[in-house]
Amino acid sequence: MQLRSWTPSRRETMGLGLAAMLAATLAPRLVMATEEAVAAELKKLYGDTPMAPGKIKLDLPEIAENGLVVPLNVDVESPMTDGDYVKAVHVFADGNPLPQVVTYKFTPQSGKAAASVRMRLAQTQNVVAVAEMSNGTLYTAKAQVKVTIGGCGG
């Protein structure tokens, strides 16, 4: 059995390079999360537990000039006592490659259920926050951010 090596021609090399460049450019745009993906993540976390609006304050810019650094402040109303506190806050973005952006976990010793982060947003999209309380109650808030320059490959 004889092994042969393959030496591509200039045309084949240019074609492979063009195909790789095209794939690298288009692939991130084809795999963005959707509202359905966010709903599926929420169903995976909480099943059919009802979510009520309120108690969550989302502080986001209405228009983000640069999707690479979008500030997010989350504040949840809670006394943060041993019997009544925020266990976790999950943040989702329905236009990013992965829907879940960040999860914060709290205890009564946290004192206040508030957190800040700078996140990337690929395009104009909704940001959804879900607060899980110690008694199992879920609260939700949603805000839309218009992105003028994409941050996740856009």
Side-chain angles (χ1 to χ4, degrees):
M1 185 158 129
Q2 190 177 29
L3 294 174
R4 293 178 26 181
S5 66
W6 176 64
T7 306
S9 68
R10 185 185 310 173
R11 240 181 225 172
E12 291 170 329
T13 303
M14 292 295 286
L16 288 172
L18 181 63
M21 186 174 71
L22 190 62
T25 303
L26 293 178
R29 298 177 195 276
L30 298 175
V31 293
M32 296 298 176
T34 61
E35 287 186 40
E36 292 79 22
V38 171
E41 287 289 320
L42 290 172
K43 187 165 181 77
K44 190 176 5 173
L45 282 171
Y46 300 114
D48 292 325
T49 305
M51 295 181 200
K55 289 204 177 195
I56 302 175
K57 181 184 172 213
L58 277 180
D59 185 15
L60 280 162
E62 285 184 35
I63 299 174
E65 292 183 18
N66 186 349
L68 290 172
V69 286
V70 179
L72 165 67
N73 297 313
V74 179
D75 194 357
V76 183
E77 293 176 33
S78 174
M80 298 303 282
T81 62
D82 287 336
D84 185 12
Y85 63 96
V86 179
K87 284 175 58 175
V89 175
H90 304 278
V91 179
F92 300 90
D94 64 18
N96 273 0
L98 297 173
Q100 190 161 11
V101 176
V102 67
T103 296
Y104 295 106
K105 302 225 179 207
F106 298 99
T107 66
Q109 290 78 26
S110 299
K112 185 175 182 184
S116 299
V117 71
R118 292 187 182 270
M119 63 182 174
R120 287 184 175 187
L121 296 179
Q123 60 195 13
T124 298
Q125 59 192 287
N126 294 314
V127 175
V128 179
V130 177
E132 179 184 356
M133 308 303 279
S134 59
N135 63 4
T137 307
L138 300 176
Y139 293 98
T140 186
K142 181 193 255 188
Q144 185 180 59
V145 179
K146 294 178 180 155
V147 178
T148 57
I149 300 172
C152 295

